[in-house]
């Protein structure tokens, strides 16, 4: 946590642009995500190319869906006169607050073509009781 002080002078004003740099960098590096809803469920789609299903953790707690994971890839190629090695590692975490009508305990997730699809069904709304005619009596 960074606390802003009201010091006068040159240094605090030079430092201000860097105060939120870490949060902006984290947002920029986070996996691309889309969230939507329809009449029956809420859907979250997250692009995770190169991430194995075993490296993803999905939790629902206190109305918040949290997706954690880690990308670990390593490619190595050798030739007679050349050598190529590339590694990518990185952890990510994204959280989404669910609306009141979401059934977080019934969330489902599947991975297809490098995209994680999370589906959280909505609670079934009970139909309002039909209007009943009540007879008014005297006395």
């Amino acid at each position: 946590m960074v606390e802003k002080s009201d010091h006068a002078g040159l240094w605090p004003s030079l430092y201000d642009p860097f105060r939120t740099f870490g949060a902006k960098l984290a947002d920029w590096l986070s996996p691309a995500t889309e969230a939507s809803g329809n009449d029956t469920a809420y859907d979250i789609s997250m692009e995770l190319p190169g991430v194995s299903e075993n490296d993803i953790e999905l939790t629902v707690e206190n109305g918040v869906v949290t997706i954690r994971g880690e990308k670990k890839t390593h490619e190595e190629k050798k030739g007679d006169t050349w050598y190529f090695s590339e590694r990518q590692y990185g952890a990510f975490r994204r959280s989404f607050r669910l609306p009141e009508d979401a059934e977080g305990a019934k969330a489902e997730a599947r991975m297809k073509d490098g995209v994680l699809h999370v589906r959280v069904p909505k609670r079934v709304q009970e139909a309002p009781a039909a209007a009943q005619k009540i007879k008014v009596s005297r006395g």
Side-chain angles (χ1 to χ4, degrees):
M1 185 166 122
V2 178
E3 181 177 324
K4 183 172 181 172
S5 59
D6 293 325
H7 296 288
L10 182 63
W11 288 110
S13 62
L14 287 175
Y15 183 68
D16 281 346
F18 299 104
R19 289 187 183 274
T20 59
F21 181 73
K24 290 178 184 176
L25 181 63
D27 287 343
W28 184 68
L29 295 175
S30 294
T33 306
E34 293 179 351
S36 63
N38 58 33
D39 293 340
T40 60
Y42 296 101
D43 296 302
I44 301 169
S45 297
M46 183 178 290
E47 294 179 13
L48 299 173
V51 178
S52 168
E53 294 89 355
N54 298 330
D55 293 329
I56 298 172
E57 178 184 322
L58 176 70
T59 58
V60 179
E61 184 178 6
N62 296 327
V64 177
V65 173
T66 302
I67 303 168
R68 291 182 184 93
E70 187 171 0
K71 183 175 187 174
K72 301 179 235 176
T73 61
H74 175 74
E75 183 179 353
E76 189 172 329
K77 295 179 183 179
K78 296 179 183 180
D80 290 337
T81 59
W82 57 275
Y83 174 79
F84 173 79
S85 177
E86 182 174 64
R87 294 182 177 108
Q88 292 181 343
Y89 297 96
F92 62 88
R93 183 182 122 181
R94 297 284 308 261
S95 295
F96 304 88
R97 179 159 303 283
L98 294 172
E100 292 292 324
D101 63 343
E103 290 271 4
K106 295 182 180 179
E108 300 172 344
R110 65 184 173 85
M111 188 80 147
K112 182 178 179 185
D113 298 329
V115 179
L116 175 68
H117 299 275
V118 179
R119 184 175 194 278
V120 182
K122 290 184 177 180
R123 285 190 185 94
V124 178
Q125 298 290 333
E126 293 183 16
Q132 297 179 355
K133 195 170 193 177
I134 300 174
K135 185 177 178 178
V136 179
S137 61
R138 283 191 173 181

